[in-house]
Amino acid sequence: MTTTLVLASASPARREVLRSAGIDPVVRVSDVDEDAVAAALPAETTPQAVVVELARAKAVAVASVVPEYAADCVVVGCDSMLLVDGVLQGKPHTPEVARARWAEMAGRSADLITGHCVLRLVDGEIVAESVDCSSTTVHFAKPEPDELDAYIATGEPLQVAGAFTLDGLGGWFVDRIEGDPSSVIGIGLPLLRRLLGDVGVAVAQLWRHTTQ
């Protein structure tokens, strides 16, 4: 039986990480309200638990709407946020917020935390689940004012966690990272391989046999 990997994410960056690693995922986007899920969590929830719960909410939502693949599939949900001075930062959405974020993190370091949830479905039922998160330290450069203006004007930082990318234009303003680069992009291959193993799927089973 063929196992299908369903990516519960609209992120083209996550999709490309998987494609570069030999997997062509089926993409199904959840309609999860991330802000509402995070707001409903207890105040004492750790940053790591927040991103894991967001990833799980996305995976669970998509698992209920993939009947054509539910005979045997894994649904993968992810969520990334930047931890700066103990505060989680998601997508800025507006130029003003993006500029404020960069004023806070330029020339400094912060941790990009990515939650992962893998659900195994057999005959339409969730039979196994594995969750965890990865953390990578990002050392930011100090963009010149005109560089930052140009970057924000592209719109790229408005819809990505922490107002930066590693694999896009934002990569010009990252001095170095400590950890897994794929996790910074949004889906950590080393962690995902372990989670897939937890639910009984070897990563080689998924190489180049699914289509979008």
Side-chain angles (χ1 to χ4, degrees), residues 50-198:
V50 170
V51 294
V52 165
E53 286 303 312
L54 287 167
R56 185 178 187 278
K58 295 175 184 179
V60 169
V62 167
S64 66
V65 293
V66 289
E68 67 270 43
Y69 306 106
D72 189 359
C73 73
V74 287
V75 179
V76 178
C78 299
D79 190 83
S80 299
M81 299 185 81
L82 190 68
L83 186 64
V84 181
D85 293 333
V87 178
L88 282 174
Q89 297 182 350
K91 301 170 184 176
H93 297 299
T94 68
E96 293 75 20
V97 174
R99 191 177 303 281
R101 298 271 177 86
W102 270 97
E104 191 175 5
M105 67 195 193
R108 302 181 61 201
S109 301
D111 294 324
L112 196 287
I113 304 175
T114 299
H116 298 64
C117 175
V118 175
L119 302 176
R120 178 77 183 272
L121 274 68
V122 176
D123 294 332
E125 299 292 330
I126 297 173
V127 298
E129 172 183 325
S130 190
V131 300
D132 204 348
C133 67
S134 56
S135 180
T136 301
T137 301
V138 182
H139 298 269
F140 293 100
K142 287 186 175 181
E144 297 297 330
D146 59 337
E147 291 178 320
L148 186 57
D149 288 344
Y151 182 44
I152 292 174
T154 69
E156 180 187 271
L158 307 188
Q159 300 300 323
V160 289
F164 81 102
T165 62
L166 182 63
D167 57 329
L169 298 174
W172 292 102
F173 310 121
V174 175
D175 282 341
R176 61 188 175 92
I177 66 169
E178 298 172 40
D180 171 26
S182 62
S183 178
V184 179
I185 297 172
I187 184 166
L189 295 180
L191 177 54
L192 179 58
R193 175 176 170 270
R194 177 169 66 78
L195 298 181
L196 287 167
D198 289 346

